[in-house]
Amino acid sequence: MHTVWKGNLTFGLVSIGIKLHSAVEEKDVKLISIHKDCLVPIRHEKIAPGCDDDAIEPEDIVKAYEYGPHQYVILNNNELDALKKEYEVKAVDIMSFVQLEEIDPVYFDRSYFISPTPGSEKAYLLLRQALERTGKIGLVKISLRSRQHLAIIRVLDDCLILETIHYPDEVRTVDQVPNLPDADQFTIQTKELVAAITLVNQLTVRFDPEAYQDEYRSALLDLIELKIEQEDIVKPVINPNRDLGSIMEALSASIEQTKPAPKKPARTKKASL
């Protein structure tokens, strides 16, 4: 499992060497855009409208913040790197402990499994058992993906897991939601409420994540496999008058499209982590 972060987690005076591993694997089906006639992948060039240059080179691109209409302040890489270095969290300190129920799910962002580095297994186990016995979660700050995050540490089965959460100013408030009905505007009959509660109770089950799947993704993959089996595929037409660059792009696309389709792995039930 790929390591996305490595460092120390401090629990009071106890230091635990840890590694973070992404707990989520994106399963989107990647589709690309190609030209419908010659079947060459579309290349999106960076341009500046109104500029004399046809295409912008990477070295000509700088970071800026628009503080007013068409008014920018430019931030160079040295300034940004210095700021990131100053506020980078290299060691994760548990600042406090809270109840998980106190944090609304709207705050949660990404999840990472935590594993101990060699020699830190006992301290890791100590923290895990302490969280299990108290029912608490740890509140920390950590630097991931070039920014500082607020996060919590909790127990999932036999593993510690870190979940980044949004800062309060990143979460919109309920009063910004339009057209919310007021309870004084409508009269809910007792029999209507009883019927609704009865329906909720009848549909209540224990949550089993294995019982759900992305039906659209499965159907899309089935459609793609069917087209491959029926040889309903297309090959790019190469125009000999094109320049070498365009021909090489078409050849590269042809090589990719004529590769043997990978065998579909047998579906097995995921083991509990």
Side-chain angles (χ1 to χ4, degrees), residues 191-253:
K191 61 180 181 180
E192 294 174 329
L193 182 57
V194 170
I197 293 174
T198 300
L199 180 59
V200 169
N201 290 333
Q202 290 180 350
L203 293 177
T204 298
V205 298
R206 183 177 179 83
F207 177 64
D208 178 14
E210 296 294 334
Y212 306 93
Q213 64 173 337
D214 186 339
E215 296 175 348
Y216 169 76
R217 180 170 62 88
S218 298
L220 179 57
L221 288 173
D222 290 341
L223 176 61
I224 292 172
E225 289 183 6
L226 179 62
K227 283 181 171 289
I228 294 174
E229 291 173 359
Q230 295 177 343
E231 297 185 353
D232 186 11
I233 56 179
V234 289
K235 297 181 180 181
V237 178
I238 302 176
N239 185 339
N241 295 323
R242 290 187 179 178
D243 58 29
L244 182 60
S246 298
I247 293 176
M248 284 304 301
E249 290 176 0
L251 288 173
S252 298

Side-chain angles (χ1 to χ4, degrees), residues 50-94:
C51 182
D52 293 335
D53 296 333
D54 294 331
I56 307 300
E57 299 297 328
E59 59 269 19
D60 296 325
I61 300 175
V62 296
K63 299 290 185 182
Y65 177 78
E66 186 176 10
Y67 63 92
H70 307 295
Q71 293 179 304
Y72 308 94
V73 57
I74 294 177
L75 302 168
N76 62 53
N77 290 333
N78 291 334
E79 292 171 323
L80 294 174
D81 291 341
L83 202 60
K84 289 178 183 177
K85 185 176 181 180
E86 181 179 356
Y87 290 95
E88 181 181 9
V89 181
K90 296 182 179 179
V92 179
D93 300 322
I94 297 182

Side-chain angles (χ1 to χ4, degrees), residues 103-104 179 201 209 257:
I103 304 178
D104 192 276
N179 200 35
N201 290 333
Q257 291 185 354

Side-chain angles (χ1 to χ4, degrees), residues 6 39 41 108 124 157 187 201 208 221 235 240 243 248 254 259:
K6 181 179 180 180
L39 307 178
F108 288 94
Y124 179 96
D157 296 330
T187 301
N201 290 333
D208 178 14
L221 288 173
K235 297 181 180 181
D243 58 29
M248 284 304 301
S254 301
K259 283 183 178 179

